[in-house]
Amino acid sequence: MIEFTLDGRPASAQEDELLVHAAARNGVFVPTLCHDDKLDPYGGCRMCVVGVEGSSRPLPACATRVSAGMVVSTNSNVPQLRKTLTEMLLSEHLNANPGGRPNELVDLARELGAEAPLVLPDAKREPYADRNRLMGYEPDTCILCNRCVRYTQEVMQCSALSLEGRGPEARIVPTWERSWLDTECELCGGCLSVCPTGAIYEKFLEGAGVEERQLEQTKTTCTFCGVGCQIDLNVDPETKRIVKVTSKPEYVSNEGDLCVKGRFSFNFVHHPDRLTEPLVRGEDGELHPATWEAALAAAADGLKGVIRRHSAQAIGVLASARLTNEENYLIQKLARIGLGTNSVHSCEAT
Amino acid sequence: MDVLRLATVLETLPRERTRLLDNLGRLRREVGPITPELSDALADHMRLRHGDVHEVTSFYSFLQVPVDAVRVCTGPVCDSRGGREQLGAGAIEVPCLGHCELAPVVLHGDEVVGGVTYSTNDGASLGLARRDETLADYERRGGLALLREPLALERIVAELSASGLSGYGGAGFPTWRKWEAVAAEAGPRYVIVNADEGEPGTIKDRYVMELRPHLLVEATLLAARALGAMEAYTYIYIREEYATARARLTAAIEEFRAAGLLEGLSLDLVVGAGAYICGEETAMLESMEGRRGMPRLKPPFPSQVGYLGRPTLIQNVETLAHVPAILRNGGDWWAGLGSPATGSPGVRLWSVTGAVARPGCYEAPNGIVLRELIDGYAAGLVGEPGAIVPGGAASGILPPAALDVPLTREALTEWGCGVGSAAVQVFPKSYAPLRLLAETMRFFAEESCQKCTPCRIGNRALHHVCEELEHGRAAMSRRQVEEWLDAMTLTSICGLGQAAPYPVRNAFERWPELFAPLGPATLGEPASA
């Protein structure tokens, strides 16, 4: 631990800790917009500038590391600078909420009492319509913090988004303005999850217009594969239906990252065709609700019948990609010892 | 697109990411303007992400336009001399083409329409009036002696320190300190010459490269040898618009190579593609490493962590070109060319353009009085002067009343101005200060790399404020404008955004009546860096 001074009070930090974290642990919240702990420090939005003794200009807390004896101030001219920078961002922020995602810029403006003194005449950006059904993008909500682009480059290592151009025409677009479907993008929605203003958002009809913050969150484990990503099911309090899936950076197995299935494929939960109880086909050829005991007994009888008539080698076991390692282990045990067949496969292998 | 041609060219292109900008330039010249398809083909060849090449291609002004395009300069000097009237169909508007003494300037492909003439003098340090055609010419004037019998680094640093030479690119950092700092870091080290001259009104580096290319090459090699950059590499990053300088340097480097003077060294040209910000040293490093030319956060400084993470000496063309004269004749001699007693040692190149009789590039002492420079070198004013810009776009604006000011940092600070890159631009009285201001802010807005909020948005807003004022309208209040200027000065990442407010503050001071619609000025001191 090292000692430093924060707003006139002694404070401690870990060696080389980012100032923004050290300040937070010492009870001083420094606002950020372009910063994301998953990404390399960028220092672009400048919202987090703080005074540091010995530096002629304030320094970005998101990209400055604490050193022993450092004297840091968030008073003096820092509040005014934050307010001015917020005004600047608002002066081209034409659409504050295209898809119901949280907008940190609007929150900050409210907190600081900042309003745009003018609307920049060149604020309007060319609209972007993408034919994919999952993610939408509203350029007029973008503050060019570049988090989404850096996320695709640094975390996903893919080419989905670019910071295009220079000067007033600069904007963020899918690579060469193609549809995301025609880039390397796998529609994981990571860009959307790091966007501080909600410029990239879920395109769902259900729950559209309900602010993400008004949704009830239930933490659970994604069922799509064995990784065990931790997710939050966001439920509309009125309809009690899941309207979106989010995740948080502090969730251990996936650190807030999701894949296209985990983030976007939850509609099966409410689908009328979804099986919610065991069904067994009766003599009449129709499926009838049954207890688990009866259903498992029927399955066992069926399998035994096959072994009797054609030998165990006639059976192959195909495991679901959704299973965990442990479940896969049990499957092969069931196949080899229980059923007596070596034909075991997982659809994950294809 | 000629696919067969593309395949042949692609095969010859290196795959290192540091060669991305060069590769894009070659594709543009040899195949055609960079289209999404060309960009993707190059990305595949270099094993880069398509988006990486898209980001870089779109960052520069020229990669997506044909090589034979007509480029019209609408920088302030050209604009004041009718530059916009040259804009025809299909012509591309460019902020400054670096030939301001010939204003208005139009480039057809690489050629300056109407040809290039030089107007300069035979200064004691650089002697630009006598042009070197060949390496032999250069050697006859005493060149190469230093390269053949190199001085020890300590001696070089001592002479540079005695000379008082400081960076002539605009920032004015003492040269000897830079050399010492880079030498103190563990090698290998890089030496990079900043020949991305782009400050409107500045033509001096082009004069050096076109008239005395061998001098620059020798100075570069001297730096490389002195800093032990032996096994490493030396680069000259030159702006794309300087085709003649590029050709002359290429030929000079070949002569050095043929004469065995490059033994153990590597000296390559890196050609830009139209982006003012790449003259900022860390943006230049990013550009050379194959990314968008967006400035890095400092510290660390390039002398510690520079090109590819190695200690790097980055010097402006003119600064480096003075080094051989200093080492040959001694630092004290060179300092004596100016007035060291008054804190202005040595000489520098002054680009004098606009409403003067003989616009050109002249070697004259540091601290020369503005009127003396204009009368004694540029043959006097033409017509009644209006605004005078002493040192490039961000150096501020002087009124004609300041003609008797010595051009020193101290004297100009009193006028809220700076010496910058010593690009003195005289505007006729008929060119309204608000027009000049609006054009200047437009330039900064268009050249902003978009990384930081204050520069990205502040310059656009100020451009708008100036344009509205031309119609007597107030887009923002004076108090708000001053708050925004403060935020730009204090929180911008690099010199572009930090310095852009200077001309506006000068104009507030000089021509308060023009800003009356914005309301009363606020009390209190403006923020200073």
Side-chain angles (χ1 to χ4, degrees), chain B residues 232-517:
Chain B
Y233 302 91
T234 304
Y235 297 96
I236 301 178
Y237 187 104
I238 185 169
R239 70 185 296 199
E240 197 271 346
E241 298 90 320
Y242 282 0
T244 307
R246 194 164 74 228
R248 295 230 61 203
L249 278 176
T250 307
I253 292 168
E254 277 320 305
E255 285 179 276
F256 272 75
R257 201 187 306 279
L261 295 163
L262 280 180
E263 204 82 353
L265 285 171
S266 145
L267 174 53
D268 288 302
L269 291 188
V270 178
V271 183
Y276 167 75
I277 191 58
C278 288
E280 198 279 341
E281 55 185 11
T282 60
M284 173 176 291
L285 295 174
E286 289 290 302
S287 169
M288 288 176 65
E289 291 181 16
R291 289 188 292 272
R292 291 168 57 87
M294 307 210 295
R296 298 176 182 172
L297 305 178
K298 291 194 262 190
F301 294 92
S303 56
Q304 306 155 305
V305 181
Y307 185 55
L308 300 176
R310 302 305 313 166
T312 306
L313 178 77
I314 305 176
Q315 294 266 254
N316 162 266
V317 168
E318 185 203 345
T319 317
L320 210 45
H322 285 291
V323 171
I326 292 171
L327 299 185
R328 234 182 340 258
N329 305 310
D332 293 329
W333 167 84
W334 194 84
L337 296 176
S339 37
T342 59
S344 294
V347 285
R348 73 183 298 169
L349 293 175
W350 301 87
S351 312
V352 189
T353 58
V356 295
R358 215 164 68 90
C361 174
Y362 306 101
E363 182 180 311
N366 274 310
I368 189 172
V369 170
L370 182 53
R371 190 187 298 278
E372 233 173 86
L373 180 66
I374 291 171
D375 290 348
Y377 293 81
L381 293 164
V382 173
E384 199 179 338
I388 300 170
V389 172
S395 67
I397 304 176
L398 292 169
L403 270 168
D404 293 306
V405 170
L407 295 169
T408 63
R409 180 186 289 248
E410 294 70 30
L412 286 175
T413 303
E414 280 179 37
W415 290 82
C417 292
V419 189
S421 60
V424 176
Q425 301 152 68
V426 182
F427 293 92
K429 196 157 198 267
S430 56
Y431 194 65
L434 266 180
R435 192 85 289 275
L436 171 60
L437 203 56
E439 283 300 321
T440 305
M441 299 331 282
R442 182 178 69 94
F443 169 72
F444 288 136
E446 286 177 357
E447 294 302 327
S448 168
C449 81
Q450 305 293 294
K451 183 169 180 179
C452 69
T453 306
C455 176
R456 183 169 78 78
I457 296 178
N459 283 310
R460 279 155 69 197
L462 290 172
H463 173 224
H464 178 56
V465 167
C466 294
E467 291 213 315
E468 287 295 287
L469 277 171
E470 285 184 284
H471 300 101
R473 295 192 293 260
M476 286 166 81
S477 76
R478 175 74 178 262
R479 181 186 59 78
Q480 284 162 339
V481 171
E482 290 190 12
E483 283 170 3
W484 284 41
L485 293 174
D486 278 356
M488 290 171 72
T489 305
L490 289 171
T491 69
S492 292
I493 292 177
C494 80
L496 198 165
Q498 290 165 4
Y502 284 114
V504 182
R505 290 216 180 90
N506 286 147
F508 279 163
E509 193 90 358
R510 240 47 89 209
W511 299 281
E513 67 283 1
L514 300 177
F515 300 92

Side-chain angles (χ1 to χ4, degrees), chain B residues 117-204:
Chain B
T117 50
Y118 299 96
S119 182
T120 184
N121 63 339
D122 195 12
S125 184
L126 297 178
L128 289 186
R130 289 176 296 147
R131 174 180 169 145
D132 298 323
E133 292 301 338
T134 62
L135 187 60
D137 283 352
Y138 179 62
E139 199 168 5
R140 267 196 294 280
R141 293 171 70 172
L144 301 187
L146 289 159
L147 208 54
R148 297 215 157 103
E149 281 169 53
L151 301 175
L153 176 72
E154 295 70 33
R155 171 79 193 287
I156 294 176
V157 170
E159 295 296 347
L160 289 178
S161 172
S163 73
L165 177 67
S166 58
Y168 285 160
F173 192 78
T175 304
W176 67 274
R177 277 182 201 253
K178 253 192 197 179
W179 288 50
E180 201 177 52
V182 176
E185 300 285 332
R189 311 174 187 90
Y190 287 100
V191 173
I192 295 172
V193 183
N194 185 344
D196 195 48
E197 180 168 69
E199 192 66 39
T202 313
I203 56 176
K204 66 192 180 62

Side-chain angles (χ1 to χ4, degrees), chain A residues 46 57 92 159 162-163 178, chain B residues 40 51 54-55 456 489 491:
Chain A
R46 314 306 280 176
R57 293 170 205 283
E92 60 162 6
S159 180
S162 305
L163 171 52
R178 296 173 177 130
Chain B
D40 288 354
H54 171 215
E55 287 204 323
R456 183 169 78 78
T489 305
T491 69

Side-chain angles (χ1 to χ4, degrees), chain B residues 1-10 13 23-35 37-38 41 66-67:
Chain B
M1 177 173 48
D2 181 346
V3 178
L4 288 179
R5 178 98 193 96
L6 170 64
T8 329
V9 177
L10 271 184
L13 298 180
N23 286 350
L24 284 165
R26 274 194 56 195
L27 274 187
R28 172 180 176 245
R29 282 190 294 278
E30 295 175 27
V31 181
I34 309 296
T35 57
E37 293 70 30
L38 267 184
V67 272

